[in-house]
Amino acid sequence: MSTRADLRQHGGQISPLVAQSVAKANALAQENGLEHVESLLKEEAPHLLEGRQKQERREGLPELKDTEGKDIVLRFAPNPNGPLSFGHARGVVINGTYAHEHKGTLILRFDDTDTTVKPPMLDAYDIIPKEVEWLLGRPADRIVIASDRIPLYYEHAERMLSEGFGYICQCPAEDFRTFRETKQDCPCRDKSVDLNVEGWNMMLDGTYNPGDAVVRVKTDMELKNPALRDWPALRIQDTEKNPHPRPGIGSKYRVWPLLDFQSAVEDQLQGVTHIVRGKDLMDSTRKQTLLYQHFGWNYPETIYWGRVKVHEWGGFSTSKMRASIENGEYTGWDDPRLPTLQGLKLRGIQPEALRNFWIELGVTQKDISVPLATLFSHNTKGIDDDAPRLSFVRSPVTVSIHGDIPDDIKIPVHPNHDAMGKRIISMRNNQIMIEQEDANNPTYRLKEFADIDEGGQLGSISRSDKRSIIHWVSAESSTEAILTLPLQENIEHIKGRVEHHNYPIGTIVQLERIGYAIIRKDDFLLMHE
RNA sequence: GCUCGUGUGGUGUAGCCAGGUCCAUCAUAGUGGGUUUUCAUCCCGCCGACCCGGGUUCGAAUCCCGGCACGAGCACCA
């Protein structure tokens, strides 16, 4: 109908006819199979078989626009004021995946241009590249550190002043706020190039103190969006009082670029072709586009994602976490309760699960709230086949069993994979331990062993009825152990007994009827069910 | 307040740009069943959605207008 304008006015009559034919065709497919219908079509109307994938589900990430004939370059640009968190993983995964899919370049860029409000953390410069590599399974192609490139930003600032699209503004911040709101030109706006250059030198040489002057990009005070009106590009920081933590940088510079300027210039210098960022930076794109126009550059293709909240975690910021760790609320950046990559890694979350998780969420601009269960589900798929089964009995109750009990019992390590071998359980002292809750039943079946009747009497070896199957340990073949549950607020430790095993620290096991856990030095850390 | 953006089942997501088998995809959660000597894994079934109101059109999840809701920006933070 879309191609036959002449028939459209008769749509009311045609629709039922089409519906009838469709019903017929469907019936035919039902009886003789879809192939039959396809072969009929091939003979009668082959053109109908073409170009009908419009409604098929798109797999993976949306296509990047404007990629033809280009070397694709993307970047992930965190502030190195702490290790990476769950939210950062989105930036790493999405940018990294796009770069990978296009055989392009992923730049890891440290936007470390603030020494006062969000001071960088020296360790982060080493930690973050490793975290990126862990998450992606390969390192970033290039690392750029903004604080190494201040002279380049200065050059561009100077060009901005000399070409007249930037100026030194000496208005107090509040005054400028008023100008911005009322669309008035700031008195500094019309200064001559010479005066601006002079002001610039006074910023650099220490004549001006922080707050005395900034460099602004001349846009237009009449712009509809107030955020874009003559925005600030560089300012002075007191780096004597708040030195940059990197050796060699320290108090070397007083004038520092703001994000919008630094990021814009750096993207151009690095040949970034596509930017994927949070939609909170939409106005940043617009500000930067105005700057690009001044410089005569083309702004990269940009796409945005919305905010993500995890129901179980709520809002965590790097600076908040840093404070909580420093005052002892958490044991460190790798505290399993924290939504850091280190915490997740410690909890046994696989990088592949994180990748699949973020790719599945995609890059929509909606603000979303996701349950951790989705991430866990991805993780389970990755670990179940390799996770040996182990029996862990919480709050154990000892039961003496009697009857014709064998000396040893063999139980598969993994029910789906015989190749993983057997666990051998010694039964020589006739004592088993089961969970308090299971002990309330008069009879039960010990998993992989036998029925137990009242009074601990050994019953049928083969399954004889529908009594519940419980997990258990032999007193002799088990040791005391602790199961640790990382809950939101506190950490709970449960004492119990675990069957003997030789798995090294770090092994992910499945505690039968409990969940997946990772073996640590002194305990089992429960990951998820 | 001004500016920008987003609204598809419980939670996410595909479809929207180029309107028509869309009585709307897939996943996750929930639920029922099967396999299994785990409340695991795997398999099968069910459940459940186009924010509201107008308009354009033979036909609207899709285009237009209005409303409502939510979010973000308006930092000398990133």
Side-chain angles (χ1 to χ4, degrees):
Chain A
M1 191 83 79
S2 56
T3 53
R4 290 289 298 273
D6 55 314
L7 294 179
R8 282 180 204 155
Q9 52 180 311
H10 308 296
Q13 289 144 45
I14 291 173
S15 286
L17 289 176
V18 170
Q20 269 178 32
S21 304
V22 168
K24 257 190 228 169
N26 284 343
L28 213 56
Q30 194 70 251
E31 281 170 37
N32 303 326
L34 202 60
E35 300 74 23
H36 177 69
V37 179
E38 272 175 21
S39 67
L40 274 182
L41 274 176
K42 210 174 262 176
E43 282 172 30
E44 292 175 18
H47 60 281
L48 291 180
L49 284 172
E50 288 162 21
R52 214 207 137 274
Q53 70 269 75
K54 187 192 156 199
Q55 281 157 23
E56 266 167 34
R57 186 178 170 76
R58 201 204 70 232
E59 288 293 332
L61 261 20
E63 279 298 307
L64 239 32
K65 278 183 202 161
D66 199 17
T67 55
E68 269 172 65
K70 283 185 184 172
D71 291 330
I72 302 305
V73 181
L74 297 107
R75 51 22 173 230
F76 167 65
N79 179 342
N81 62 344
L84 262 25
S85 66
F86 182 69
H88 288 115
R90 186 180 206 176
V92 176
V93 169
I94 303 294
N95 283 293
T97 303
Y98 273 131
H100 192 62
E101 282 177 354
H102 291 86
K103 297 183 171 37
T105 303
L106 175 69
I107 296 170
L108 169 58
R109 189 181 75 205
F110 293 112
D111 283 347
D112 56 345
T113 55
D114 183 277
T115 65
T116 315
V117 183
K118 290 181 179 171
M121 187 178 91
L122 196 53
D123 290 348
Y125 294 86
D126 296 321
I127 295 171
I128 291 175
K130 286 183 190 138
E131 291 179 326
V132 168
E133 181 165 3
W134 174 75
L135 188 52
L136 254 26
R138 61 191 158 85
D141 298 297
R142 190 150 82 223
I143 293 178
V144 174
I145 303 177
S147 55
D148 276 340
R149 302 172 60 81
I150 301 300
L152 288 164
Y153 307 139
Y154 283 1
E155 281 174 29
H156 286 84
E158 283 158 15
R159 192 176 145 196
M160 201 158 76
L161 296 173
S162 62
E163 293 184 19
F165 56 89
Y167 62 96
I168 307 295
C169 171
Q170 296 173 75
C171 302
E174 313 132 45
D175 291 4
F176 192 85
R177 197 171 304 140
T178 309
F179 296 140
R180 175 168 47 222
E181 279 164 13
T182 56
K183 300 185 178 180
Q184 290 178 69
D185 282 6
C186 135
C188 317
R189 205 171 198 267
D190 304 320
K191 277 193 288 197
S192 68
V193 168
D194 288 347
L195 221 48
N196 279 323
V197 171
E198 189 184 316
W200 168 246
N201 287 326
M202 287 164 82
M203 284 176 76
L204 291 172
D205 69 16
T207 310
Y208 289 141
N209 289 313
D212 289 350
V214 295
V215 180
R216 290 189 183 282
V217 179
K218 205 180 278 185
T219 60
D220 187 341
M221 295 308 280
E222 297 288 326
L223 249 22
K224 248 179 93 181
N225 188 340
L228 312 185
R229 296 172 195 158
D230 284 13
W231 52 273
L234 301 97
R235 82 327 199 162
I236 303 167
Q237 297 192 94
D238 186 346
T239 45
E240 294 296 334
K241 201 165 135 197
N242 299 301
H244 195 285
R246 291 183 67 223
I249 306 295
S251 310
K252 189 171 174 185
Y253 305 107
R254 296 168 41 81
V255 177
W256 285 80
L258 272 331
L259 172 88
D260 286 313
F261 184 74
Q262 177 271 131
S263 176
V265 171
E266 197 60 70
D267 282 335
Q268 170 69 16
L269 295 178
Q270 299 292 334
V272 168
T273 56
H274 294 76
I275 299 173
V276 194
R277 53 163 53 146
K279 67 173 183 179
D280 52 315
L281 294 179
M282 268 181 173
D283 284 345
S284 252
T285 300
R286 297 181 184 108
K287 287 186 218 175
Q288 294 174 347
T289 303
L290 294 168
L291 181 69
Y292 268 52
Q293 285 166 0
H294 282 311
F295 277 117
W297 302 335
N298 284 321
Y299 200 74
E301 196 69 40
T302 309
I303 56 180
Y304 306 94
W305 58 60
R307 261 187 67 156
V308 178
K309 264 196 218 161
V310 173
H311 181 255
E312 288 85 346
W313 283 326
F316 274 92
S317 73
T318 303
S319 18
K320 258 193 234 165
M321 282 192 276
R322 191 170 178 172
S324 302
I325 291 166
E326 276 163 14
N327 71 29
E329 279 176 57
Y330 297 101
T331 57
W333 290 103
D334 62 355
D335 191 303
R337 291 166 294 176
L338 249 23
T340 55
L341 251 35
Q342 294 176 25
L344 290 165
K345 184 181 176 185
L346 200 89
R347 265 182 102 165
I349 302 299
Q350 307 295 297
E352 192 188 3
L354 246 6
R355 275 182 261 142
N356 292 339
F357 175 86
W358 287 116
I359 288 172
E360 188 175 281
L361 289 197
V363 284
T364 66
Q365 291 187 26
K366 272 194 274 186
D367 298 318
I368 57 176
S369 177
V370 290
L372 229 32
T374 308
L375 175 64
F376 291 158
S377 160
H378 282 291
N379 205 51
T380 299
K381 285 180 175 64
I383 60 177
D384 184 73
D385 277 340
D386 299 321
R389 269 45 177 175
L390 228 42
S391 187
F392 185 102
V393 175
R394 298 163 290 196
S395 318
V397 174
T398 305
V399 176
S400 293
I401 54 172
H402 33 273
D404 189 10
I405 299 161
D407 287 348
D408 297 297
I409 297 168
K410 288 183 183 174
I411 295 179
V413 170
H414 194 299
N416 307 352
H417 303 291
D418 283 344
M420 289 173 79
K422 301 277 189 212
R423 311 178 248 172
I424 296 165
I425 315 286
S426 168
M427 299 298 290
R428 288 182 178 81
N429 78 354
N430 292 359
Q431 293 214 317
I432 59 158
M433 291 167 167
I434 62 175
E435 296 205 336
Q436 176 74 58
E437 203 177 310
D438 294 327
N440 295 333
N441 299 320
T443 67
Y444 37 81
R445 179 171 180 81
L446 300 181
K447 188 170 182 309
E448 302 281 1
F449 178 31
D451 291 349
I452 297 296
D453 296 328
E454 283 190 54
Q457 178 61 43
L458 184 71
S460 169
I461 294 293
S462 57
R463 194 168 184 190
S464 61
D465 52 26
K466 292 272 186 185
R467 69 181 72 187
S468 54
I469 297 166
I470 64 168
H471 69 292
W472 57 285
V473 294
S474 144
E476 194 188 342
S477 286
S478 63
T479 48
E480 290 195 350
I482 293 168
L483 179 63
T484 299
L485 275 42
L487 308 171
Q488 288 92 294
E489 289 304 313
N490 48 344
I491 293 188
E492 195 177 322
H493 301 284
I494 298 175
K495 285 186 185 164
R497 299 278 295 191
V498 69
E499 64 177 280
H500 289 328
H501 70 86
N502 295 319
Y503 300 118
I505 287 171
T507 304
I508 291 172
V509 297
Q510 190 209 57
L511 302 179
E512 289 171 318
R513 294 176 70 216
I514 297 175
Y516 298 92
I518 187 160
I519 300 176
R520 300 200 294 183
K521 186 165 167 285
D522 300 314
D523 64 353
F524 288 83
L525 180 69
L526 186 69
M527 295 156 50
H528 51 80
E529 290 184 354

